[in-house]
C-alpha cells in the first residue's frame, strides 16, 4: 500500500511450520505468489546457478526501486549450502541507477501518473512534504475512504503489472531445436536436471529452465505447443509450478517428477525417472 521498494529473500526448506529446517524443498512458491493482504504487483525470481544468483539479486534491487514494489528471491537450502565457481569477469560492475527525486513544494507522494509509478521522494531532500501511509490514501498520502479515490489508487498500482510484463526474465532453453519431449524445471534443480538430461544422450529432449517464476514469460506457450510430451520436475509434493502454468496458460503438464523427502534430486534419480516416462508406451 505504501509502495515502498523491498527485496525479500526466501530460503525454502521442508515444511510446514518449522518442518525440516536443515533440509531442502521447493514448497513455498504458492506462498510467495499469494502472501500479502489484497492485490498488488510483485516479481519472483528463482536463480538456478550462482551466476544467476548474483545477476538476479542486482536486478531485484533495480526493479524494486524503479517500480516501488516487493521483489522476492526464491531460493532454497540446497542452493544456499552449495559451493560453485563463477568468473569474476561475468559479474556486472555497471552503476546502479537512482530513482529518488528531489521534492518540490507541491509534491504528491502518490501522484496518479500514466504508467502508475509515482515520483518517490524522501524527507529532507527537497522542499516538499513526504507523507507515506499504509492505509488507502489520496495523492498526497493522506488517509481516505473516498470510493472514487480508492478505485483510482488501485488502478494506479496495478498499472505497474503491465509494465512488469516487459521486464520478465525469459526461460533458458537447452537441447536440440527439433525436440519432441520437453523437461521443465525452476530454481536450483537446474544443474542436476541438465546433467541428467545430457547423460540420457537422447536427441529428442529439450530442457526449459525458469529463473523467474512469476509472472511467467509468454514464450512458454511456443515451447509447450511444440512438444509431444511435457515433464515437470519439482522439489515439492503437489507440483506447484506445474499448477501455476496451468492457471496462467491453460496448458496441462503431462508428467510430474516430484520429491519432498528433504533431500535434493540426484542425477541418477532424475535419469531413471525420465527414462521410465520417455520409454513408456502410450
Amino acid at each position: 500500500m505504501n509502495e515502498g521498494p523491498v527485496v525479500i529473500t526466501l530460503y525454502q526448506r521442508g515444511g510446514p511450520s518449522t518442518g525440516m529446517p536443515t533440509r531442502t524443498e521447493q514448497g513455498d512458491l504458492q506462498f510467495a505468489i499469494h502472501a500479502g493482504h489484497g492485490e498488488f504487483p510483485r516479481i519472483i525470481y528463482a536463480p538456478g546457478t550462482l551466476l544467476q544468483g548474483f545477476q538476479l539479486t542486482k536486478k531485484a534491487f533495480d526493479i524494486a526501486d524503479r517500480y516501488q514494489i516487493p521483489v522476492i528471491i526464491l531460493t532454497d537450502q540446497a542452493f544456499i549450502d552449495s559451493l560453485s565457481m563463477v568468473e569474476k569477469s561475468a559479474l556486472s560492475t555497471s552503476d546502479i541507477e537512482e530513482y529518488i527525486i528531489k521534492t518540490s513544494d507541491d509534491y504528491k507522494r502518490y501522484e496518479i501518473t500514466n504508467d502508475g509509478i509515482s515520483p518517490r521522494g524522501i524527507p529532507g531532500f527537497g522542499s516538499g512534504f513526504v507523507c507515506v501511509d499504509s492505509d488507502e490514501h489520496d495523492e498526497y498520502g493522506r488517509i481516505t475512504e473516498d470510493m472514487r479515490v480508492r478505485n483510482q489508487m488501485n488502478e494506479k498500482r496495478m498499472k505497474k503489472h503491465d509494465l512488469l510484463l516487459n521486464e520478465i526474465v525469459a526461460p533458458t532453453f537447452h537441447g536440440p531445436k527439433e525436440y519432441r519431449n520437453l523437461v521443465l524445471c525452476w530454481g536450483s534443480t537446474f544443474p542436476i536436471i541438465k546433467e541428467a538430461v545430457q547423460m540420457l544422450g537422447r536427441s529428442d529432449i529439450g530442457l526449459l529452465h525458469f529463473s523467474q517464476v512469476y509472472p511467467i514469460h509468454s514464450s512458454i506457450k511456443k515451447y509447450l505447443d511444440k512438444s509431444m510430451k511435457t515433464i515437470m520436475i519439482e522439489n515439492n509434493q503437489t507440483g506447484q509450478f506445474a499448477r501455476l502454468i496451468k492457471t496462467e496458460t491453460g496448458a496441462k503438464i503431462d508428467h510430474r517428477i516430484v520429491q519432498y523427502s528433504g533431500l535434493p534430486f540426484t542425477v541418477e534419480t532424475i535419469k531413471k525417472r525420465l527414462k521410465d516416462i520417455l520409454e513408456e508406451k502410450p
Side-chain angles (χ1 to χ4, degrees), residues 180-197:
R180 290 185 297 164
N181 305 292
L182 182 65
V183 177
L184 303 95
C185 64
W186 60 279
S188 70
T189 58
F190 169 63
I192 298 297
I193 296 170
K194 183 182 179 183
E195 184 176 346
V197 169

Side-chain angles (χ1 to χ4, degrees), residues 77-91:
Q77 190 73 32
F79 185 88
I80 296 305
D81 285 345
S82 298
L83 296 174
S84 58
M85 301 285 287
V86 61
E87 290 289 340
K88 185 177 180 180
S89 60
L91 303 178

Side-chain angles (χ1 to χ4, degrees), residues 2-3 8 15 26 34-35 43 75 101 117 122-123 125 140 165 187 190 194 202-203 216 227 241 252 266 275-276:
N2 64 33
E3 300 184 60
I8 302 164
Q26 289 182 312
H34 299 294
I43 289 279
T75 181
I101 61 106
I117 302 174
I122 56 176
F125 186 51
Y140 290 97
L165 297 179
F190 169 63
K194 183 182 179 183
R202 296 179 55 137
S203 61
I216 299 175
S227 59
F241 194 51
K252 182 181 179 182
T266 64
K275 186 176 180 182
D276 291 342

Side-chain angles (χ1 to χ4, degrees), residues 22-38:
T22 62
R23 297 297 180 179
T24 197
E25 201 165 276
Q26 289 182 312
D28 295 351
L29 176 59
Q30 291 294 324
F31 171 77
I33 293 171
H34 299 294
H37 178 47

Side-chain angles (χ1 to χ4, degrees), residues 6 12 25-26 39 46 61-63 71 81 95 101 106 110 115 133 140 157 185 211 239 241 243 262:
V6 61
Q12 302 168 100
E25 201 165 276
Q26 289 182 312
E39 300 171 304
F61 277 93
D62 181 72
I63 293 292
V71 178
D81 285 345
D95 294 333
I101 61 106
D106 59 350
Y110 301 107
D115 59 8
D133 205 285
Y140 290 97
R157 287 187 290 268
C185 64
S211 59
F241 194 51
R243 290 162 57 195

Side-chain angles (χ1 to χ4, degrees), residues 1-281:
M1 179 61 78
N2 64 33
E3 300 184 60
V6 61
V7 175
I8 302 164
T9 52
L10 173 52
Y11 304 104
Q12 302 168 100
R13 77 286 189 282
S17 189
T18 306
M20 303 177 76
T22 62
R23 297 297 180 179
T24 197
E25 201 165 276
Q26 289 182 312
D28 295 351
L29 176 59
Q30 291 294 324
F31 171 77
I33 293 171
H34 299 294
H37 178 47
E39 300 171 304
F40 54 90
R42 72 189 77 187
I43 289 279
I44 304 176
Y45 297 129
T49 65
L50 179 61
L51 179 58
Q52 287 182 350
F54 280 110
Q55 293 172 335
L56 291 176
T57 298
K58 180 179 178 182
K59 187 175 180 64
F61 277 93
D62 181 72
I63 293 292
D65 225 10
R66 190 188 320 172
Y67 294 98
Q68 302 168 29
I69 61 167
V71 178
I72 300 172
I73 302 174
L74 194 60
T75 181
D76 53 60
Q77 190 73 32
F79 185 88
I80 296 305
D81 285 345
S82 298
L83 296 174
S84 58
M85 301 285 287
V86 61
E87 290 289 340
K88 185 177 180 180
S89 60
L91 303 178
S92 173
T93 57
S94 59
D95 294 333
I96 295 176
E97 191 169 345
E98 298 287 347
Y99 298 100
I100 300 295
I101 61 106
K102 187 174 183 178
T103 62
S104 57
D105 290 342
D106 59 350
Y107 174 67
K108 300 176 183 178
R109 171 61 187 97
Y110 301 107
E111 182 178 351
I112 295 174
T113 61
N114 291 332
D115 59 8
I117 302 174
S118 303
R120 181 167 171 254
I122 56 176
F125 186 51
S127 60
F129 178 71
V130 180
C131 181
V132 176
D133 205 285
S134 60
D135 290 324
E136 191 56 276
H137 41 250
D138 60 16
E139 289 184 278
Y140 290 97
R142 296 182 176 88
I143 296 175
T144 182
E145 290 191 352
D146 183 299
M147 305 307 172
R148 181 184 61 84
V149 175
R150 162 66 175 176
N151 286 341
Q152 290 176 338
M153 286 295 162
N154 253 347
E155 291 159 7
K156 182 192 85 71
R157 287 187 290 268
M158 290 307 291
K159 278 183 180 180
K160 299 177 190 178
H161 179 78
D162 295 334
L163 292 177
L164 290 169
L165 297 179
N166 299 318
E167 300 280 1
I168 300 177
V169 178
T172 54
F173 177 80
H174 305 266
K177 293 181 179 180
E178 300 305 320
Y179 62 89
R180 290 185 297 164
N181 305 292
L182 182 65
V183 177
L184 303 95
C185 64
W186 60 279
S188 70
T189 58
F190 169 63
I192 298 297
I193 296 170
K194 183 182 179 183
E195 184 176 346
V197 169
Q198 290 173 338
M199 287 181 65
L200 281 173
R202 296 179 55 137
S203 61
D204 61 348
I205 306 177
L207 172 61
L208 192 64
H209 173 256
F210 290 80
S211 59
Q212 177 169 338
V213 290
Y214 188 81
I216 299 175
H217 197 274
S218 60
S219 65
I220 186 176
K221 189 176 186 304
K222 71 176 183 181
Y223 290 108
L224 294 175
D225 289 346
K226 188 177 177 179
S227 59
M228 297 176 59
K229 185 178 290 186
T230 53
I231 307 165
M232 176 68 75
I233 304 177
E234 301 187 59
N235 249 149
N236 59 56
Q237 186 173 4
T238 59
Q240 293 186 24
F241 194 51
R243 290 162 57 195
L244 177 62
I245 288 174
K246 184 176 181 181
T247 299
E248 296 290 314
T249 70
K252 182 181 179 182
I253 302 298
D254 300 318
H255 300 273
R256 301 180 187 180
I257 297 176
V258 298
Q259 181 168 291
Y260 41 92
S261 62
L263 297 176
F265 285 108
T266 64
V267 172
E268 293 75 18
T269 297
I270 295 297
K271 182 182 175 183
K272 181 182 184 306
R273 295 182 71 176
L274 281 176
K275 186 176 180 182
D276 291 342
I277 291 172
L278 294 170
E279 291 182 354
E280 70 180 16
K281 296 180 180 180

